[in-house]
Amino acid sequence: MLSSLSIGCSRSKYRLAADQEAYNAIAQRNGDPRWSTVKYGIEPDPRSRYADVYDPDCPPIPVDDPASQQYMRCVDGKQGWRHWYDNGIRAGLENPAWQALLGEYVELADDDSVMLDIDSALRLAYVHSPNHQTQLETLYLSSLDVTRERFELDTQFFGGYDIGYSHNGSIIPARLNHDGSRWVIAPPQTGAQRNLLAIGTTGQRRALEARRQFATAGTLLAGFANSFVFEFTGPDAGLSASLLNFTFLQPLLRGAGRDIGLEGLTQVERTLLANLRSYAQFRQGFYTQVAIGELGVVGPQRNGRGTSLQVFGGQAQLGGYVGLLRQLQQIRNAEDNLNLQIRTLAQLEALLVAGLIDLVQVDQFRQNVERDRASLLQSRNDFLRSLDQYKAFTLGLPPNLPVELDDDLIHQFQLVDRAATAIQDTIAEFQRRPSELGENPDPEAIESLRRDVYELVQPLRENLVIVATDLKLAKDSIPLRQRAMDDAAKEAFAREIAELDTGYADLLVQLERIEIEVERMKAGLPRLPDPDEFSLRLDADEDDVAPVVDEPDSIAPSSDAPDGAATIAELVNPTAEVTSDIDRTVILLRKMLRLIQGSILVQARARLEAVSVDRITLQTEQAYQIALQNRLDFMNGRAALVDDWRQIQIAADALQSVLDFSASGSVQTDRNNPLSFRGSTGSAAVGLRFDAPLTRLVERNQYRESLINYQRSRRALIQSHDSLHLGLRVLLREIEQLRTNLEIQRRAVAIAIRRVDVTGSALYAPVPPPQPGQRSAPFGPTAAINLLSAQSALRDTQDSFLTAWLSYYAAKLRLARELGVMELDLEGRRIETPLPGEVSPLEFDATDVDPLPPPIGQTLIDAAQLPVEGLIEADQ
């Protein structure tokens, strides 16, 4: 009982009452669909790692620093409060159950790692992100400001009672008195002893008081006070008395009127509306932050907003989930390129043994391989660091939480299927096995190798099915792509698709021959002649034509030579016959390798051509007007300018004279009865108080400052409009540039693929037989440089193509946010709707499309294979 009297209602009741009033204030302005939100409670999701599982009103003490803790126990030699630990000690800062609850709202892999895509990342961020929680709390605090100002204009009640006992002895001590001419000491005197008990209110205190501030800035105070006094000295005596009174004050000039009386409430009500809009816009920015790593907006601010608004400044970034996917795909591109270099290095080393290439070029290639290994390690480390930062700072999760990225968004940029790469690696591994068998190989080992090679037929067949699917997707994109092309581009595109069809048909023929050869090898039948093994090559020094064998793996490598060395060396003897089973197996592997490499080229080109984007035809003036109409922060900016304009009137009011009207009155009891009020005991007073404006320097300066602040805010809003206009112009130009650049990068990748094919084919091309007594002609001095350049160009152009498409994807999200038209569902996920002015390629009008730069001619492509001196000569 005593505890209830001392602290009033419980803590939880005060907290819940504050929540109810604050949420009601938010709900009152949450009806407009342009900024309404369903969830604005500040209690963290119980699944969040930041959720507090303890009583929010009586939380246990966190683990303290031991050195600091001693000052709570004993400070300056004085014993501290003993009840700090009454609520216990919390076991940890995080919600202990958050990780066990992950499976309720995101998909988990078999190893309990989180399957991460943009939607699941968004769900995780809304549950765990401290940034989002802070925005909600700022909105809530802004609503608390509204409840406080409403309370100031509401009738306020106060009550209280005193009880006190006093004792005065009967002796009055000696004291100094003045007798009219001098000071004398008055001796002690005997007086009346007093033992007084007083119950009630004294002085200005009232047992019950009501206070009301009016919208006109007037104030009314009414109160009731009574007291009971008991004297216990001698015969008991007591007196009871009561008082009713009121005071009213109404300014008539300075500080008067509804503009002054309602200013505080007006400001916080408008601020709460602005913050509700800001939170709705924050959700749009929160989506782009999760998706592309760019918030781009300012959330709720308790002190209101200004007219300097944040807009896109033209400096785009590619982070967030999309940035992680870009890093992941770039790592894959680097891995593919490194594997290609390693396989090429094996061929170069074989050529080195055969004397067909010099050591400097091979060492140069080796050095580049090691450099790319180190670069790949750095890229992997950078990716893991970015992933940890994304988990910690964007999603609010611990960096050690295992996640798996869903790469469906960039699957189309995996130009080479991972299964095809695996087949290629397997073939390369099988090609090394013959050199490990020795001079007299075990027949069982040979048979084991043959069985393993036979099993590659099915993966090769399945790979061609995948290639056929990719080729179909590329053909399906023809109508979309051609609508944005002129006649010349359409003709070139048709030739490229026809080349893909021809390449795929050749792959089917190769597969058929491989299957026939496998069946004949299984049946023990002799090897059929292959018409593709012989070709005609024009001799570099003479005009005659010599038949050569186009089969570098026709002879098995020797056991004491590097991988493929004997095979390359035997190229100087193109008439070598294939007689042994192991030779025949090596030839079959070579055909399989040629098939898988060819399928990789066709697949890469097909997937490259299947990538497309929509076009944004929105004009900048249209975009500017749409943004002004829909952007919530510009609504707040216009309101903020009016707020500053309103302050001119507030400051000008203080320049007036003071003229206040006041009225007061009271009535008391006339007898020893707390209810015996009599009108004859009453009193009343009215009056006017005037203060001339003789000294108003401070007020004058404040008024002048308000005028300057308004003009500053007006200029800032104009500049914000200009910044918005500028940002949209830059963004729309960037979108069109990225769309055009995507086509340029597509062609660059196609050229790079062809360069890799041409430079790589040089290693496998048959070598003309040397003249009697002469060595075979070696490769040129720039063979390795050409290979490195082509392979590096393929990796770089793949990265650039990927970046161009992802940048276009990010720019569209950014445009939706900057226009204020991004639609979100209740969970904060983006609703896929066309942007203003967005048309699919089917709606393109080729006459309105800016032509791409002219394609690179074959002469320049061939020149790219020449050494520097050759390029200079070609230019001359």
Side-chain angles (χ1 to χ4, degrees):
M1 179 64 179
L2 180 60
S3 174
S4 298
L5 290 175
S6 63
I7 64 173
C9 300
S10 66
R11 297 179 181 180
S12 60
K13 289 184 179 180
Y14 281 119
R15 173 174 55 83
L16 295 175
D19 290 349
Q20 182 178 2
E21 290 190 27
Y23 294 147
N24 286 340
I26 297 174
Q28 290 170 4
R29 50 190 41 76
N30 194 37
D32 195 308
R34 292 174 294 177
W35 58 75
S36 63
T37 180
V38 176
K39 300 178 182 179
Y40 46 80
I42 63 170
E43 294 299 325
D45 191 304
R47 301 168 298 183
S48 171
R49 64 185 291 235
Y50 294 97
D52 197 339
V53 298
Y54 298 100
D55 185 349
D57 299 301
C58 299
I61 185 173
V63 176
D64 197 2
D65 170 62
S68 302
Q69 177 61 37
Q70 62 180 337
Y71 294 106
M72 294 176 63
R73 299 179 181 273
C74 180
V75 56
D76 194 25
K78 302 173 181 64
Q79 183 178 354
W81 195 46
R82 295 180 297 175
H83 301 283
W84 292 120
Y85 290 88
D86 286 0
N87 296 328
I89 303 176
R90 68 180 309 138
L93 297 178
E94 296 182 1
N95 175 9
W98 75 268
Q99 202 158 0
L101 300 174
L102 281 173
E104 293 184 0
Y105 55 100
V106 292
E107 183 182 355
L108 301 180
D110 294 338
D111 60 353
D112 291 334
S113 60
V114 177
M115 305 298 293
L116 205 62
D117 57 15
I118 292 181
D119 286 344
S120 63
L122 197 67
R123 286 194 296 271
L124 288 166
Y126 271 107
V127 172
H128 300 282
S129 171
N131 187 19
H132 174 252
Q133 180 66 22
T134 299
Q135 304 303 317
L136 286 174
E137 290 168 348
T138 303
L139 177 63
Y140 177 90
L141 293 174
S142 182
S143 184
L144 281 186
D145 294 338
V146 170
T147 64
R148 184 193 68 245
E149 290 296 333
R150 289 179 178 179
F151 172 75
E152 292 293 333
L153 290 172
D154 199 359
T155 302
Q156 304 170 16
F157 294 96
F158 305 91
Y161 228 65
D162 299 336
I163 182 171
Y165 172 81
S166 62
H167 167 76
N168 290 329
S170 59
I171 301 299
I172 300 175
R175 61 194 182 279
L176 281 174
N177 282 337
H178 197 273
D179 60 3
S181 60
R182 60 191 180 91
W183 290 96
V184 297
I185 299 176
Q189 297 179 358
T190 301
Q193 179 179 331
R194 298 194 65 185
N195 292 279
L196 188 66
L197 176 65
I199 302 175
T201 55
T202 59
Q204 298 298 320
R205 288 180 55 80
R206 296 169 175 83
L208 181 63
E209 182 178 277
R211 185 180 303 167
R212 178 67 181 265
Q213 182 174 336
F214 297 98
T216 58
T219 303
L220 174 64
L221 179 65
F224 169 76
N226 68 350
S227 61
F228 299 90
V229 180
F230 300 95
E231 177 59 57
F232 297 104
T233 304
D236 294 340
L239 175 65
S240 61
S242 299
L243 171 69
L244 285 173
N245 67 347
F246 78 94
T247 301
F248 175 72
L249 177 65
Q250 175 62 59
L252 300 178
L253 291 178
R254 181 177 180 178
R258 294 178 179 272
D259 56 338
I260 305 299
L262 295 178
E263 172 59 24
L265 180 60
T266 300
Q267 184 60 58
V268 296
E269 293 274 7
R270 289 166 65 91
T271 299
L272 178 57
L273 175 60
N275 282 335
L276 185 58
R277 288 171 174 165
S278 296
Y279 174 68
Q281 189 180 35
F282 170 81
R283 294 178 74 234
Q284 297 179 7
F286 196 56
Y287 180 88
T288 59
Q289 184 180 38
V290 171
I292 62 175
E294 180 183 298
L295 183 61
V297 299
V298 178
Q301 296 178 350
R302 192 174 184 184
N303 296 326
R305 303 182 65 88
T307 54
S308 295
L309 307 178
Q310 178 173 330
V311 296
F312 174 67
Q315 298 296 324
Q317 58 178 333
L318 192 58
Y321 190 82
V322 171
L324 291 175
L325 291 182
R326 179 179 68 168
Q327 288 182 273
L328 178 62
Q329 186 58 38
Q330 287 176 341
I331 289 174
R332 290 171 176 171
N333 292 343
E335 289 174 343
D336 291 341
N337 182 262
L338 180 60
N339 290 334
L340 177 60
Q341 289 190 29
I342 292 174
R343 289 191 296 269
T344 304
L345 179 60
Q347 298 294 333
L348 291 177
E349 289 173 341
L351 291 170
L352 177 64
V353 173
L356 300 179
I357 196 169
D358 60 86
L359 179 62
V360 173
Q361 294 193 67
V362 177
D363 279 347
Q364 184 179 24
F365 211 95
R366 289 168 177 163
Q367 188 176 35
N368 193 80
V369 167
E370 299 308 320
R371 183 166 55 247
D372 283 357
R373 287 186 198 272
S375 178
L376 180 58
L377 288 175
Q378 183 63 48
S379 298
R380 288 170 176 166
N381 187 59
D382 291 342
F383 168 73
L384 293 176
R385 181 176 65 252
S386 299
L387 181 60
D388 289 345
Q389 291 174 341
Y390 182 74
K391 289 185 287 185
F393 301 132
T394 301
L395 305 185
L397 297 169
N400 63 335
L401 181 71
V403 299
E404 292 185 19
L405 298 184
D406 185 344
D407 60 354
D408 283 348
L409 183 65
I410 60 169
H411 181 72
Q412 57 186 332
F413 296 97
Q414 297 176 21
L415 301 184
V416 178
D417 194 274
R418 309 303 286 184
T421 305
I423 295 173
Q424 192 171 227
D425 293 339
T426 301
I427 293 175
E429 176 65 25
F430 288 171
Q431 285 180 322
R432 287 192 291 268
R433 285 170 60 178
S435 64
E436 301 171 355
L437 298 179
E439 296 182 358
N440 299 310
D442 182 8
E444 179 60 30
I446 297 176
E447 184 62 27
S448 175
L449 173 60
R450 293 178 62 181
R451 287 195 300 267
D452 292 340
V453 172
Y454 297 159
E455 292 179 358
L456 287 175
V457 174
Q458 181 61 27
L460 288 172
R461 186 183 299 113
E462 294 172 352
N463 178 71
L464 288 188
V465 173
I466 298 175
V467 174
T469 302
D470 293 329
L471 190 57
K472 181 179 182 304
L473 291 176
K475 291 181 178 179
D476 291 342
S477 70
I478 291 177
L480 302 179
R481 298 272 311 282
Q482 286 184 336
R483 291 299 295 266
M485 297 179 181
D486 56 19
D487 292 339
K490 289 179 180 178
E491 183 178 350
F493 184 49
R495 286 198 304 268
E496 292 172 354
I497 297 298
E499 290 175 2
L500 291 178
D501 286 334
T502 302
Y504 183 71
D506 181 64
L507 294 177
L508 293 177
V509 172
Q510 293 182 46
L511 177 63
E512 181 180 5
R513 291 174 179 172
I514 289 173
E515 290 177 336
I516 292 174
E517 176 64 13
V518 167
E519 294 301 323
R520 293 184 67 84
M521 290 177 67
K522 288 181 178 179
L525 299 177
R527 180 170 175 264
L528 291 177
D530 192 337
D532 289 339
E533 291 183 8
F534 295 91
S535 61
L536 295 178
R537 166 173 290 194
L538 185 64
D539 189 273
D541 298 325
E542 300 180 6
D543 292 334
D544 59 329
V545 177
V548 293
V549 179
D550 188 10
E551 186 53 70
D553 286 335
S554 59
I555 302 298
S558 62
S559 59
D560 57 348
D563 297 342
T567 300
I568 300 298
E570 289 294 338
L571 286 175
V572 299
N573 183 15
T575 60
E577 297 182 359
V578 179
T579 57
S580 67
D581 290 340
I582 192 168
D583 291 344
R584 194 171 178 181
T585 303
V586 169
I587 293 175
L588 180 60
L589 282 172
R590 174 61 184 144
K591 294 181 181 296
M592 289 180 171
L593 181 61
R594 182 187 303 167
L595 172 62
I596 195 64
Q597 289 176 337
S599 72
I600 286 175
L601 292 175
V602 173
Q603 183 180 56
R605 288 296 308 278
R607 291 188 175 185
L608 182 68
E609 299 299 339
V611 177
S612 62
V613 294
D614 296 336
R615 188 187 182 199
I616 305 296
T617 61
L618 187 64
Q619 300 299 315
T620 56
E621 290 299 327
Q622 293 176 301
Y624 178 60
Q625 295 302 324
I626 291 173
L628 288 181
Q629 182 179 359
N630 291 278
R631 283 192 59 146
L632 301 178
D633 54 346
F634 275 81
M635 298 179 190
N636 290 341
R638 293 190 287 270
L641 181 61
V642 174
D643 290 339
D644 288 333
W645 171 84
R646 201 172 60 251
Q647 295 309 307
I648 297 175
Q649 174 64 21
I650 303 302
D653 178 86
L655 300 174
Q656 302 181 83
S657 301
V658 174
L659 180 61
D660 295 340
F661 169 78
S662 62
S664 62
S666 65
V667 62
Q668 304 181 49
T669 56
D670 63 344
R671 294 191 299 273
N672 189 14
N673 185 333
L675 300 177
S676 60
F677 291 100
R678 294 292 183 271
S680 56
T681 64
S683 63
V686 295
L688 291 174
R689 184 172 70 90
F690 176 75
D691 182 10
L694 300 179
T695 304
R696 291 291 187 268
L697 186 143
V698 174
E699 292 80 359
R700 177 204 69 188
N701 291 352
Q702 291 175 344
Y703 170 70
R704 191 67 183 95
E705 183 179 350
S706 68
L707 293 174
I708 294 174
N709 289 338
Y710 168 68
Q711 295 300 330
R712 285 181 173 179
S713 297
R714 188 175 64 86
R715 292 196 302 269
L717 186 57
I718 294 174
Q719 288 182 312
S720 294
H721 282 87
D722 292 343
S723 297
L724 175 63
H725 204 171
L726 172 62
L728 290 173
R729 289 170 64 87
V730 172
L731 184 54
L732 288 172
R733 284 197 295 261
E734 179 190 6
I735 287 175
E736 184 60 23
Q737 173 196 343
L738 290 170
R739 188 187 67 82
T740 305
N741 186 46
L742 184 69
E743 297 303 321
I744 295 173
Q745 296 302 328
R746 189 199 311 272
R747 287 211 303 258
V749 176
I751 294 170
I753 292 173
R754 189 158 57 226
R755 284 183 61 191
V756 170
D757 184 29
V758 171
T759 55
S761 298
L763 294 183
Y764 302 103
V767 179
Q771 296 296 327
Q774 297 182 358
R775 298 186 60 184
S776 180
F779 285 89
T782 62
I785 296 177
N786 293 340
L787 285 168
L788 285 175
S789 176
Q791 294 173 0
S792 297
L794 177 59
R795 179 197 60 212
D796 295 340
T797 54
Q798 282 182 285
D799 291 347
S800 298
F801 183 63
L802 169 70
T803 299
W805 191 91
L806 290 179
S807 297
Y808 190 88
Y809 175 86
K812 286 180 58 178
L813 290 182
R814 191 178 297 114
L815 179 62
R817 185 196 66 210
E818 292 300 307
L819 292 177
V821 297
M822 180 181 290
E823 297 184 25
L824 305 176
D825 62 14
L826 299 180
E827 302 300 324
R829 296 178 300 230
R830 180 170 177 250
I831 300 174
E832 295 288 344
T833 55
L835 291 171
E838 181 178 8
V839 294
S840 69
L842 284 175
E843 301 170 347
F844 280 5
D845 184 356
T847 60
D848 296 335
V849 178
D850 295 334
L852 294 173
I856 301 175
Q858 186 62 42
T859 302
L860 290 180
I861 296 175
D862 296 337
Q865 315 300 327
L866 298 175
V868 176
E869 296 80 7
L871 289 175
I872 296 176
E873 293 174 0
D875 182 64
Q876 293 174 347

Coordinates of all heavy atoms in Angstrom, one line a residue, residues 275-312:
N275 N 7.3 13.2 -40.2 CA 8.1 12.0 -39.8 C 7.4 10.8 -40.3 O 8.1 9.8 -40.6 CB 8.3 12.0 -38.3 CG 9.5 12.9 -37.9 OD1 10.3 13.3 -38.7 ND2 9.4 13.4 -36.7
L276 N 6.1 10.8 -40.3 CA 5.4 9.6 -40.8 C 5.6 9.5 -42.3 O 5.9 8.4 -42.9 CB 3.9 9.7 -40.6 CG 3.0 8.5 -41.0 CD1 3.5 7.2 -40.3 CD2 1.5 8.8 -40.7
R277 N 5.6 10.6 -43.0 CA 6.0 10.5 -44.5 C 7.5 10.1 -44.6 O 7.8 9.3 -45.5 CB 5.8 11.9 -45.1 CG 4.4 12.4 -45.3 CD 4.4 13.8 -45.7 NE 3.0 14.3 -46.0 CZ 2.7 15.6 -46.1 NH1 3.6 16.5 -45.9 NH2 1.5 15.9 -46.4
S278 N 8.3 10.6 -43.7 CA 9.7 10.3 -43.8 C 10.0 8.8 -43.6 O 10.8 8.2 -44.3 CB 10.5 11.1 -42.8 OG 10.5 12.5 -43.1
Y279 N 9.2 8.2 -42.7 CA 9.3 6.8 -42.5 C 8.9 6.0 -43.7 O 9.5 5.0 -44.1 CB 8.6 6.4 -41.2 CG 8.6 4.9 -41.1 CD1 9.8 4.2 -40.7 CD2 7.4 4.1 -41.3 CE1 9.8 2.8 -40.6 CE2 7.5 2.7 -41.1 CZ 8.6 2.1 -40.8 OH 8.7 0.7 -40.6
A280 N 7.8 6.5 -44.3 CA 7.3 5.8 -45.5 C 8.4 5.9 -46.6 O 8.6 4.9 -47.4 CB 6.0 6.4 -46.0
Q281 N 9.0 7.0 -46.8 CA 10.0 7.2 -47.8 C 11.3 6.4 -47.4 O 12.0 5.8 -48.2 CB 10.4 8.6 -48.0 CG 11.3 8.9 -49.2 CD 11.7 10.3 -49.3 OE1 11.8 11.1 -48.4 NE2 11.8 10.8 -50.6
F282 N 11.6 6.3 -46.1 CA 12.7 5.5 -45.6 C 12.5 4.1 -46.0 O 13.5 3.4 -46.3 CB 12.8 5.6 -44.1 CG 13.8 4.7 -43.5 CD1 15.1 4.9 -43.5 CD2 13.3 3.5 -42.9 CE1 16.0 4.0 -42.9 CE2 14.2 2.6 -42.4 CZ 15.6 2.8 -42.4
R283 N 11.3 3.5 -46.0 CA 11.1 2.2 -46.4 C 11.5 2.0 -47.9 O 12.0 0.9 -48.2 CB 9.7 1.8 -46.2 CG 9.3 1.7 -44.7 CD 7.8 1.4 -44.5 NE 7.6 0.0 -44.7 CZ 6.7 -0.5 -45.6 NH1 5.9 0.3 -46.3 NH2 6.5 -1.8 -45.8
Q284 N 11.3 3.0 -48.7 CA 11.7 2.9 -50.1 C 13.2 2.8 -50.1 O 13.8 2.0 -50.8 CB 11.2 4.0 -50.9 CG 9.7 4.1 -51.0 CD 9.2 5.3 -51.8 OE1 10.0 6.0 -52.4 NE2 7.9 5.5 -51.8
G285 N 13.9 3.8 -49.4 CA 15.3 3.8 -49.4 C 15.9 2.5 -48.7 O 17.0 2.1 -49.1
F286 N 15.2 2.0 -47.7 CA 15.6 0.8 -47.1 C 15.7 -0.4 -48.1 O 16.6 -1.2 -48.0 CB 14.7 0.4 -45.9 CG 15.3 -0.5 -44.9 CD1 16.5 -0.3 -44.3 CD2 14.6 -1.7 -44.6 CE1 17.0 -1.2 -43.4 CE2 15.1 -2.6 -43.7 CZ 16.3 -2.3 -43.1
Y287 N 14.7 -0.4 -49.0 CA 14.7 -1.5 -50.0 C 16.0 -1.3 -50.9 O 16.7 -2.3 -51.1 CB 13.5 -1.4 -50.8 CG 13.4 -2.5 -51.9 CD1 12.9 -3.8 -51.6 CD2 13.9 -2.3 -53.2 CE1 12.9 -4.8 -52.6 CE2 13.9 -3.2 -54.1 CZ 13.4 -4.5 -53.8 OH 13.4 -5.5 -54.8
T288 N 16.2 -0.1 -51.3 CA 17.4 0.1 -52.2 C 18.7 -0.1 -51.4 O 19.7 -0.6 -52.0 CB 17.4 1.5 -52.8 OG1 17.4 2.5 -51.8 CG2 16.2 1.7 -53.7
Q289 N 18.7 0.1 -50.2 CA 19.9 -0.1 -49.4 C 20.2 -1.6 -49.3 O 21.3 -2.0 -49.5 CB 19.8 0.5 -48.0 CG 21.0 0.3 -47.1 CD 20.9 0.9 -45.7 OE1 19.8 0.7 -45.1 NE2 21.9 1.5 -45.2
V290 N 19.2 -2.4 -49.1 CA 19.3 -3.9 -49.0 C 19.7 -4.4 -50.4 O 20.6 -5.2 -50.6 CB 18.0 -4.5 -48.5 CG1 18.1 -6.0 -48.7 CG2 17.8 -4.2 -47.0
A291 N 19.1 -3.8 -51.5 CA 19.2 -4.4 -52.8 C 20.5 -3.9 -53.4 O 21.3 -4.7 -54.0 CB 18.1 -4.0 -53.7
I292 N 20.8 -2.6 -53.4 CA 21.9 -2.0 -54.2 C 22.9 -1.2 -53.3 O 23.8 -0.6 -53.8 CB 21.5 -1.1 -55.3 CG1 20.7 0.1 -54.8 CG2 20.6 -2.0 -56.3 CD1 20.3 1.0 -55.9
G293 N 22.7 -1.3 -51.9 CA 23.6 -0.6 -51.0 C 23.5 0.9 -50.9 O 24.5 1.5 -50.6
E294 N 22.4 1.4 -51.3 CA 22.2 2.9 -51.3 C 20.9 3.3 -50.7 O 19.8 3.0 -51.2 CB 22.3 3.4 -52.8 CG 22.2 4.9 -52.9 CD 22.2 5.3 -54.4 OE1 23.2 5.0 -55.1 OE2 21.2 5.8 -54.9
L295 N 21.0 4.0 -49.5 CA 19.7 4.4 -48.8 C 19.1 5.6 -49.6 O 17.9 5.6 -49.9 CB 20.1 4.8 -47.4 CG 18.9 5.2 -46.5 CD1 17.9 4.1 -46.4 CD2 19.4 5.6 -45.1
G296 N 19.8 6.6 -49.8 CA 19.4 7.7 -50.6 C 18.3 8.6 -50.0 O 17.9 9.5 -50.7
V297 N 17.9 8.4 -48.8 CA 16.9 9.2 -48.2 C 17.3 9.5 -46.7 O 18.2 8.8 -46.2 CB 15.5 8.5 -48.2 CG1 15.0 8.3 -49.6 CG2 15.5 7.2 -47.4
V298 N 16.6 10.4 -46.1 CA 16.8 10.7 -44.7 C 15.5 10.3 -44.0 O 14.4 10.7 -44.4 CB 17.1 12.2 -44.5 CG1 17.2 12.5 -43.0 CG2 18.3 12.6 -45.2
G299 N 15.6 9.6 -42.9 CA 14.5 9.1 -42.2 C 13.9 10.1 -41.3 O 14.2 11.3 -41.3
P300 N 13.0 9.7 -40.4 CA 12.4 10.7 -39.4 C 13.4 11.4 -38.6 O 14.4 10.8 -38.2 CB 11.5 9.8 -38.6 CG 11.2 8.6 -39.4 CD 12.4 8.4 -40.2
Q301 N 13.1 12.7 -38.3 CA 13.9 13.5 -37.4 C 13.0 14.2 -36.4 O 12.0 14.8 -36.8 CB 14.7 14.5 -38.2 CG 15.7 14.0 -39.2 CD 16.4 15.0 -40.0 OE1 16.0 16.2 -40.0 NE2 17.4 14.6 -40.8
R302 N 13.4 14.0 -35.1 CA 12.5 14.5 -34.1 C 12.3 16.0 -34.1 O 11.2 16.5 -33.8 CB 13.0 14.1 -32.7 CG 12.0 14.3 -31.6 CD 12.5 13.7 -30.3 NE 11.6 13.8 -29.2 CZ 11.8 13.5 -28.0 NH1 13.0 13.0 -27.6 NH2 10.8 13.6 -27.1
N303 N 13.3 16.7 -34.5 CA 13.3 18.2 -34.5 C 12.7 18.7 -35.8 O 12.9 19.9 -36.1 CB 14.6 18.8 -34.2 CG 15.1 18.4 -32.8 OD1 14.3 18.3 -31.9 ND2 16.4 18.2 -32.7
G304 N 12.1 17.9 -36.6 CA 11.5 18.4 -37.9 C 12.5 18.4 -39.0 O 13.7 18.0 -38.8
R305 N 12.1 18.9 -40.1 CA 12.9 18.8 -41.3 C 13.1 20.2 -41.9 O 12.4 21.1 -41.6 CB 12.3 17.9 -42.4 CG 12.0 16.5 -41.9 CD 11.4 15.7 -43.0 NE 12.4 15.5 -44.1 CZ 13.2 14.5 -44.2 NH1 13.3 13.7 -43.2 NH2 14.1 14.4 -45.2
G306 N 14.2 20.4 -42.6 CA 14.4 21.6 -43.3 C 14.0 21.6 -44.8 O 13.3 20.7 -45.2
T307 N 14.5 22.6 -45.5 CA 14.1 22.6 -46.9 C 15.3 22.2 -47.8 O 15.2 22.2 -49.0 CB 13.7 24.0 -47.3 OG1 14.7 25.0 -46.9 CG2 12.4 24.4 -46.6
S308 N 16.5 21.9 -47.2 CA 17.6 21.3 -47.9 C 17.4 19.8 -48.0 O 17.6 19.1 -47.0 CB 18.9 21.7 -47.3 OG 19.1 23.0 -47.3
L309 N 17.0 19.3 -49.1 CA 16.5 17.9 -49.2 C 17.6 17.0 -49.9 O 18.3 17.5 -50.8 CB 15.2 17.8 -49.9 CG 14.1 18.7 -49.4 CD1 12.8 18.6 -50.2 CD2 13.8 18.4 -47.9
Q310 N 17.7 15.8 -49.5 CA 18.6 14.9 -50.1 C 18.1 14.3 -51.4 O 17.0 13.7 -51.4 CB 19.0 13.8 -49.1 CG 20.0 12.8 -49.7 CD 20.5 11.8 -48.6 OE1 20.5 12.1 -47.5 NE2 20.8 10.6 -49.0
V311 N 18.8 14.4 -52.5 CA 18.4 13.9 -53.8 C 19.6 13.2 -54.4 O 20.7 13.3 -53.9 CB 17.8 14.9 -54.7 CG1 16.6 15.5 -54.2 CG2 18.9 16.0 -55.0
F312 N 19.4 12.4 -55.4 CA 20.5 11.7 -56.1 C 21.4 12.8 -56.7 O 21.0 13.7 -57.5 CB 19.9 10.8 -57.2 CG 20.9 10.2 -58.1 CD1 21.8 9.2 -57.6 CD2 21.1 10.5 -59.4 CE1 22.8 8.6 -58.3 CE2 22.0 9.9 -60.2 CZ 22.9 9.0 -59.7

